[in-house]
Amino acid sequence: MCEPNKFSLKYLLITVFTVSLIFAQSWKTNANTNLRFSVTRDLTFYSDTIPTSTKDSLLKKNKKTAVDTTTLVPFEKLNNFQSLRDTIKNVPKMDSFSFRISKDSLSAPVYYEAADSAVVFVKDNKVVLFGNTKTKYNDVDLSAPEMSLDQKSQILTAVNRKDSNDVILERVHFRQGEDAFQTDTIWYNFKTQKGVTKNTFTAQNELFIQAEQFKKVNNEITFASNGVLTTCNLDEPHFGFRYQKIKVVNNKVAVTGPIHPEFEKVPIPIYLPFGFFPMKKGRHSGVLSPQFTANDEMGLGLEGLGYYKVLSDNFDITLRSNIYSYGGWSANITPSYRKRYRYSGQMNLSIQNTKYNFKGDPDYVKNLGYMLTWSHSVDSRARPGTNFSATVNAGSTLYNSYVPNNPNRNFQNKMGSSITYSKAWAGKPFNLTVSANHNQDNALHLVTLNLPDVGFTVSTQYPFQRKELAGTPKWYEKLGVAYNGTIRSQVAFYDTAFRLKQLMDTLQWGGQHNFPITLSLPPIFGGRLILSPGISYEQKLIAQKVRRSWNSTKQKLDTITSKGLFVDQKISTSFGISTALFGTFQFKDSRVTALRHVMRPSLSMSYSPSFSKKHFYKTQVDTSGRILPFSEFETSMYGYYGEQDFGGMGFTFDNNLEMKVRSKKDTGENAIKKVRLLDGFGFNTGYNFLNKTRKLSPFNFYLFTTLFEKININASTVLDPYQVDSKGFSIDKYAWEGGKFKMGRFSNGSISMSTDFKSKPKDEKKDQEKKQQEKNFLNDPILGSEVQSQLDYMRRNPSEFVDFNIPWSVSLQFSVVFNERMKPDYSGFIKDFSSNMNFNGSFSLTPKWNFSMNGYYDFNLKAIQTFQMSISREMHCWQMSINVTPIGPYRYFNISINPKSGLLQDLKINRTRFFSN
């Protein structure tokens, strides 16, 4: 049994010597190339950096020892030696079970790479690599200037590189799975996967840990001593928490012994017995720390104190409270829920107990208010054809007035809610919508509820159309019939005088049906004219009628309301003609090459007899004896039809204007650029041939455009072509009659302009990444219910979300509105004007300082109604913001300094003061 083993060993040693000489010659000719090695388990090769005499001595010594089972092979040489393969094939094969695997063998290959050189000491079972070395073993990746591996102890040692002044030029980088760090020196045992490092820097989510010594005991737990915890990513952090001992559980928690903060390496005399830093990804329960505030009316206070509880993967709840020294308080409970690809939502119930000043003070105010908000959305993929959504915003009418530090909300007088369920039957023309709606006017204290509001529609059906379409369809096959029906109930009340019995007295309900019949005719004259005949039947269901009469004794109008079921109906026929006309004017020797005008006139003829004449009456309205017509159905929820028959025409004239401009820089197809001058402008009116008086309808003018892709303009107005009497009532006489020409009078109108200018971002790539993050945040179905609350916080604290990548930005919104309304005593009309401007902007005073402001100016009052300004300071890992509201009924200032990291978001220095008049 000994002879075969000696024979095999002899051939094996001859093969080792032959291959070593081949590789030595190959490496001499490639001395300047990087050497990459792989550890296998068959043969041992030596780097050419070992002197020949040493090689020979090592070979001679090795003849008397067992063959080393570790092989060092260059990657690029493995496939180039066919002769080597042939030689190895000729070596007598042995049964693999006759070899014993060494106890110090590793469980997987170790791969090496070195830019300079490699030395293998076979006798000592040691490998030394020099110059940009890289090592890989299972999930362990290590790169270092210099590295050595002792196979006996299975310990890898790596060190950094320094210059002559002892300055570190290159450090050791280690990664195992998600665990990664940089260090000066590392000792790592491949077998036990334990290690020790010196002067180490590592990151765990948002937390950066520096320590003089690290000890890794397994894949999850690491101990360290004498270091700093921080969220600053610099080698010399601006701030941190100094500790002596720490235990880190990867991506879960870091627990320290005694700890104290330091800024710019200056210790702060605030010592804590221990530190607890959660690092777990995702949501987890915990206490929400408050912030200190001071308010002239409410006293000293703590705001935001609460608790966040994760109940399950799909449900969590947030509790927050505000407490003030004068006895006021508020509490908020916010549950949120989500199920991916199904639904998501959030609800918030807030109770506000406001107390201004002490009891007995002349300015003492006490108010108990509440606010309920709820948002719910369903993923369209959950149940195709069915949808349920909710947007609820309801509360006491004085709630917004007493919300501190939120001027925008203090002036918010309109609130509304909608809860909607809709269903569309697949393959069928039916569609059902059921909703409950709420509208609230806080200035008037008026609350209106519409529930339920049911709508049912049948899309257009073509009863004469053939089941199998073949050839040109007949004209009657285009005859379509549809149905639209709605029914609604409504109650209204003043929250200052709410009584259940009175609430039922305000109950109204109504319905409406519409059966449109249309005929789609093919265009004529080469497609230039489009004909659209139609007929429609409408019906309104009304729950009450109102009759007014003049009370000569009290000199006022009396109103009598009768409840019941009343019907108002209408039949109309119509025939429409529409076309489009194009006009182009060419320019020569000009950058403006062409001007194009598109006109879309449409004319409609219609006839509609009135079935509502019996529901109209006339009565005296003032002491002068003026008589005005009224309808019994003036309080109908869906309006009412006119008293006069209509047989006339309607006319609409729509336009748009654009031009083509030649670019100064581009050539070819890109040289001509289309510019829209006016996106749309025109008017519409009508003429009733059957009307006895005022046959011409008012003219409705409109215009909208975007100039230079920056300035948005919208304008509309109504021109009444008739003259008026001394009290403003129209008379049957055109405005241009009676000598002096006049077009008429504008009864109402509005114009609004808005623009937004900003500089180019300093870093285009960073700007695109920010926009993508915002887009992902707004569209994330899991965060959908939390988006609104986050946006509201951003509006209230703009200085915390300053984009220093944009040097400056300005936006303006201007609007003017006027309208005519009848006086309450019907004695004439009042024309109301209102104009205002909203402005906001920001600019960077320096790369680190930013100033921003926003406000609202009322031209009627000639005063700024609200104004907010803020100053922000970029401090790398910290940020400072100063917010001031010097104008308005609710004034305040706030200064806040806090870390940017979400992990330390509650570690802030905050000072807030409120004032009111």
Side-chain angles (χ1 to χ4, degrees):
M1 295 298 294
C2 291
E3 291 299 325
N5 285 337
K6 291 181 178 180
F7 181 79
S8 300
L9 182 60
K10 177 181 178 180
Y11 276 86
L12 187 59
L13 290 174
I14 293 173
T15 303
V16 169
F17 182 76
T18 303
V19 175
S20 298
L21 293 178
I22 293 173
F23 275 117
Q25 183 63 30
S26 174
W27 290 339
K28 285 180 181 180
T29 59
N30 296 278
N32 295 326
T33 60
N34 291 345
L35 302 179
R36 294 184 295 167
F37 307 99
S38 170
V39 175
T40 64
R41 307 195 54 79
D42 296 321
L43 303 173
T44 301
F45 302 120
Y46 303 90
S47 168
D48 198 45
T49 56
I50 305 176
T52 305
S53 59
T54 306
K55 293 181 186 178
D56 296 338
S57 63
L58 288 174
L59 287 172
K60 290 177 183 178
K61 292 179 181 179
N62 251 353
K63 289 180 181 179
K64 298 180 181 181
T65 60
V67 178
D68 185 22
T69 59
T70 302
T71 305
L72 195 61
V73 183
F75 286 163
E76 54 267 55
K77 307 299 182 182
L78 287 178
N79 299 323
N80 296 337
F81 297 94
Q82 184 62 40
S83 59
L84 174 61
R85 296 193 189 98
D86 297 339
T87 303
I88 294 176
K89 288 180 180 179
N90 295 329
V91 176
K93 297 182 179 179
M94 298 178 59
D95 188 354
S96 60
F97 290 100
S98 63
F99 290 100
R100 293 183 178 181
I101 303 300
S102 175
K103 293 181 179 180
D104 61 359
S105 299
L106 300 178
S107 61
V110 180
Y111 298 95
Y112 301 93
E113 180 179 335
D116 189 327
S117 56
V119 179
V120 180
F121 298 96
V122 176
K123 182 177 180 181
D124 298 328
N125 287 344
K126 188 175 182 180
V127 179
V128 181
L129 302 177
F130 299 93
N132 296 329
T133 68
K134 295 183 179 179
T135 306
K136 181 174 178 57
Y137 171 72
N138 286 336
D139 61 342
V140 176
D141 289 286
L142 185 142
S143 60
E146 182 179 335
M147 184 275 297
S148 64
L149 173 63
D150 190 330
Q151 187 177 356
K152 291 181 180 179
S153 62
Q154 296 184 354
I155 294 177
L156 180 145
T157 304
V159 297
N160 61 11
R161 182 167 65 92
K162 301 180 180 180
D163 61 9
S164 58
N165 296 323
D166 207 32
V167 176
I168 298 176
L169 301 177
E170 187 179 357
R171 308 188 77 188
V172 180
H173 295 264
F174 179 93
R175 175 177 291 277
Q176 184 174 17
E178 296 183 359
D179 187 15
F181 58 81
Q182 301 177 28
T183 185
D184 288 348
T185 307
I186 181 173
W187 294 272
Y188 182 76
N189 191 309
F190 279 116
K191 193 70 175 180
T192 63
Q193 296 196 1
K194 297 180 180 180
V196 177
T197 65
K198 287 187 175 181
N199 297 328
T200 304
F201 175 88
T202 185
Q204 293 279 342
N205 296 329
E206 296 182 86
L207 194 65
F208 299 95
I209 306 174
Q210 297 183 16
E212 292 182 5
Q213 186 170 356
F214 258 79
K215 182 178 180 181
K216 182 179 177 64
V217 297
N218 55 44
N219 291 339
E220 297 294 330
I221 299 176
T222 304
F223 293 92
S225 62
N226 299 327
V228 176
L229 277 168
T230 181
T231 57
C232 181
N233 60 357
L234 297 180
D235 291 340
E236 298 292 337
H238 293 112
F239 81 104
F241 297 90
R242 178 67 61 178
Y243 62 87
Q244 295 299 320
K245 295 180 180 180
I246 188 174
K247 177 181 179 181
V248 180
V249 182
N250 287 351
N251 297 319
K252 289 184 179 180
V253 68
V255 183
T256 72
I259 192 172
H260 68 273
E262 64 177 24
F263 288 87
E264 299 290 353
K265 294 188 177 180
V266 177
I268 306 299
I270 301 176
Y271 292 86
L272 300 174
F274 65 90
F276 185 86
F277 298 85
M279 299 184 298
K280 185 179 179 180
K281 294 181 180 179
R283 303 173 300 142
H284 50 278
S285 304
V287 176
L288 303 174
S289 63
Q291 67 178 19
F292 175 80
T293 186
N295 190 305
D296 279 0
E297 289 76 22
M298 304 175 72
L300 303 179
L302 291 177
E303 295 182 341
L305 177 64
Y307 189 80
Y308 174 74
K309 177 64 177 177
V310 178
L311 300 176
S312 69
D313 292 339
N314 301 325
F315 192 80
D316 57 59
I317 189 169
T318 304
L319 302 173
R320 284 190 181 273
S321 63
N322 303 328
I323 305 173
Y324 303 95
S325 60
Y326 288 176
W329 56 268
S330 65
N332 297 270
I333 178 170
T334 309
S336 61
Y337 53 91
R338 65 198 62 83
K339 191 169 184 179
R340 188 178 288 274
Y341 307 122
R342 297 299 297 270
Y343 53 81
S344 63
Q346 184 183 64
M347 182 177 290
N348 178 72
L349 175 62
S350 176
I351 301 176
Q352 179 191 76
N353 183 29
T354 304
K355 289 185 179 180
Y356 279 4
N357 303 304
F358 287 105
K359 195 171 184 179
D361 191 286
D363 296 323
Y364 176 74
V365 175
K366 182 179 180 181
N367 180 73
L368 181 63
Y370 69 92
M371 178 65 67
L372 175 66
T373 62
W374 177 36
S375 63
H376 178 90
S377 61
V378 175
D379 195 310
S380 58
R381 294 165 292 186
R383 295 184 63 186
T386 302
N387 185 50
F388 178 78
S389 63
T391 303
V392 176
N393 185 23
S396 54
T397 54
L398 292 178
Y399 181 92
N400 287 339
S401 301
Y402 294 110
V403 175
N405 190 20
N406 198 337
N408 293 330
R409 192 164 182 180
N410 297 148
F411 289 96
Q412 182 181 344
N413 289 323
K414 302 290 185 181
M415 292 192 296
S417 307
S418 178
I419 303 175
T420 306
Y421 169 82
S422 63
K423 179 175 178 59
W425 281 264
K428 296 181 180 180
F430 310 122
N431 191 303
L432 174 66
T433 302
V434 182
S435 64
N437 302 293
H438 149 265
N439 291 285
Q440 186 170 327
D441 190 324
N442 293 337
L444 300 176
H445 296 266
L446 179 62
V447 180
T448 304
L449 302 176
N450 295 322
L451 70 159
D453 193 336
V454 182
F456 183 77
T457 63
V458 179
S459 59
T460 304
Q461 300 296 298
Y462 300 94
F464 303 108
Q465 190 178 69
R466 288 169 289 180
K467 293 183 179 180
E468 296 182 2
L469 298 178
T472 304
K474 304 295 184 181
W475 67 267
Y476 54 81
E477 294 185 57
K478 296 293 184 178
L479 185 67
V481 181
Y483 170 76
N484 300 299
T486 59
I487 188 170
R488 178 188 303 164
S489 63
Q490 175 181 294
V491 293
F493 60 92
Y494 291 94
D495 68 342
T496 54
F498 176 78
R499 297 292 187 273
L500 182 60
K501 183 179 179 180
Q502 295 176 351
L503 178 67
M504 299 308 297
D505 290 338
T506 66
L507 175 64
Q508 295 186 60
W509 66 271
Q512 180 175 261
H513 304 275
N514 181 18
F515 296 87
I517 302 175
T518 59
L519 180 62
S520 301
L521 297 178
I524 60 176
F525 300 113
R528 293 182 176 87
L529 288 180
I530 299 176
L531 308 179
S532 52
I535 185 172
S536 175
Y537 172 74
E538 300 178 21
Q539 186 183 76
K540 298 182 187 295
L541 304 178
I542 303 170
Q544 66 181 22
K545 62 181 180 179
V546 176
R547 196 87 181 184
R548 303 180 187 274
S549 61
W550 177 253
N551 188 325
S552 57
T553 303
K554 296 182 179 181
Q555 297 293 299
K556 70 179 187 67
L557 280 174
D558 289 338
T559 304
I560 299 175
T561 302
S562 302
K563 294 185 178 293
L565 175 60
F566 309 97
V567 178
D568 201 5
Q569 52 192 346
K570 174 185 176 182
I571 296 178
S572 62
T573 60
S574 63
F575 183 83
I577 303 175
S578 61
T579 186
L581 305 176
F582 302 87
T584 304
F585 187 81
Q586 303 288 342
F587 294 91
K588 295 182 179 180
D589 302 326
S590 174
R591 285 190 58 206
V592 179
T593 61
L595 188 66
R596 188 187 190 198
H597 182 200
V598 180
M599 297 169 285
R600 300 181 182 86
S602 62
L603 178 67
S604 63
M605 304 293 294
S606 62
Y607 172 71
S608 175
S610 175
F611 298 100
S612 305
K613 295 178 181 179
K614 61 182 179 179
H615 301 300
F616 281 82
Y617 64 96
K618 294 181 179 180
T619 187
Q620 182 180 339
V621 295
D622 56 23
T623 56
S624 66
R626 181 180 297 277
I627 296 177
L628 293 178
F630 292 91
S631 171
E632 293 179 328
F633 300 145
E634 61 181 273
T635 60
S636 169
M637 299 182 63
Y638 293 97
Y640 55 91
Y641 300 120
E643 180 184 10
Q644 301 293 329
D645 297 337
F646 183 87
M649 55 180 283
F651 182 72
T652 300
F653 191 69
D654 184 48
N655 306 260
N656 75 280
L657 190 66
E658 58 188 23
M659 68 177 180
K660 291 184 178 180
V661 181
R662 188 182 302 277
S663 174
K664 292 182 178 180
K665 300 179 180 180
D666 296 332
T667 59
E669 295 181 357
N670 297 326
I672 305 299
K673 183 179 179 181
K674 185 183 293 186
V675 178
R676 300 183 71 90
L677 299 178
L678 295 175
D679 294 330
F681 65 97
F683 69 93
N684 61 74
T685 185
Y687 192 88
N688 186 1
F689 294 100
L690 302 181
N691 214 359
K692 295 180 180 179
T693 60
R694 292 178 301 195
K695 297 183 178 182
L696 183 62
S697 301
F699 290 82
N700 298 284
F701 293 92
Y702 62 90
L703 180 147
F704 58 93
T705 187
T706 302
L707 297 179
F708 315 111
E709 299 181 353
K710 282 294 183 182
I711 304 176
N712 300 310
I713 300 176
N714 285 275
S716 64
T717 187
V718 176
L719 178 67
D720 190 339
Y722 292 97
Q723 298 181 18
V724 296
D725 60 15
S726 59
K727 292 189 176 181
F729 290 91
S730 297
I731 60 176
D732 190 19
K733 190 175 183 179
Y734 290 117
W736 50 84
E737 293 180 351
K740 191 175 180 180
F741 177 80
K742 292 183 179 180
M743 292 183 60
R745 63 185 179 89
F746 293 101
S747 58
N748 59 74
S750 66
I751 181 171
S752 62
M753 294 185 292
S754 64
T755 185
D756 185 3
F757 298 96
K758 66 179 179 180
S759 63
K760 293 183 179 179
K762 297 177 182 178
D763 189 336
E764 197 73 40
K765 183 178 179 181
K766 185 178 179 180
D767 184 63
Q768 294 298 327
E769 290 176 353
K770 182 176 181 294
K771 290 180 179 179
Q772 186 62 42
Q773 291 175 357
E774 293 175 351
K775 182 179 179 181
N776 294 339
F777 172 74
L778 294 174
N779 296 330
D780 192 332
I782 294 181
L783 299 176
S785 58
E786 303 172 7
V787 169
Q788 191 58 44
S789 59
Q790 179 65 20
L791 293 177
D792 183 62
Y793 181 82
M794 293 173 65
R795 282 191 292 267
R796 289 186 287 111
N797 302 274
S799 58
E800 296 184 19
F801 301 91
V802 173
D803 188 358
F804 284 90
N805 195 38
I806 305 296
W808 61 268
S809 65
V810 176
S811 65
L812 301 169
Q813 299 89 34
F814 172 77
S815 66
V816 177
V817 178
F818 71 94
N819 57 56
E820 257 183 3
R821 60 182 177 88
M822 185 176 290
K823 295 180 180 179
D825 59 357
Y826 301 95
S827 60
F829 292 86
I830 300 175
K831 186 167 288 187
D832 296 325
F833 281 90
S834 65
S835 58
N836 58 76
M837 182 175 67
N838 289 279
F839 57 91
N840 61 73
S842 69
F843 62 92
S844 297
L845 302 172
T846 70
K848 299 295 184 180
W849 284 95
N850 180 274
F851 175 80
S852 61
M853 64 178 179
N854 65 81
Y856 170 83
Y857 183 84
D858 192 317
F859 288 94
N860 289 24
L861 301 176
K862 298 180 181 180
I864 297 177
Q865 296 300 296
T866 62
F867 182 76
Q868 295 175 277
M869 60 182 180
S870 61
I871 299 176
S872 302
R873 175 66 164 91
E874 162 68 27
M875 298 189 293
H876 186 255
C877 50
W878 281 66
Q879 63 184 3
M880 181 186 72
S881 62
I882 302 174
N883 301 294
V884 181
T885 300
I887 298 175
Y890 304 95
R891 294 166 291 148
Y892 77 97
F893 80 85
N894 164 270
I895 180 171
S896 177
I897 304 176
N898 61 283
K900 290 182 179 179
S901 170
L903 183 66
L904 302 177
Q905 62 182 347
D906 296 323
L907 180 65
K908 65 170 62 176
I909 302 172
N910 181 78
R911 174 63 170 166
T912 304
R913 290 292 302 273
F914 296 92
F915 310 90
S916 65
N917 55 33

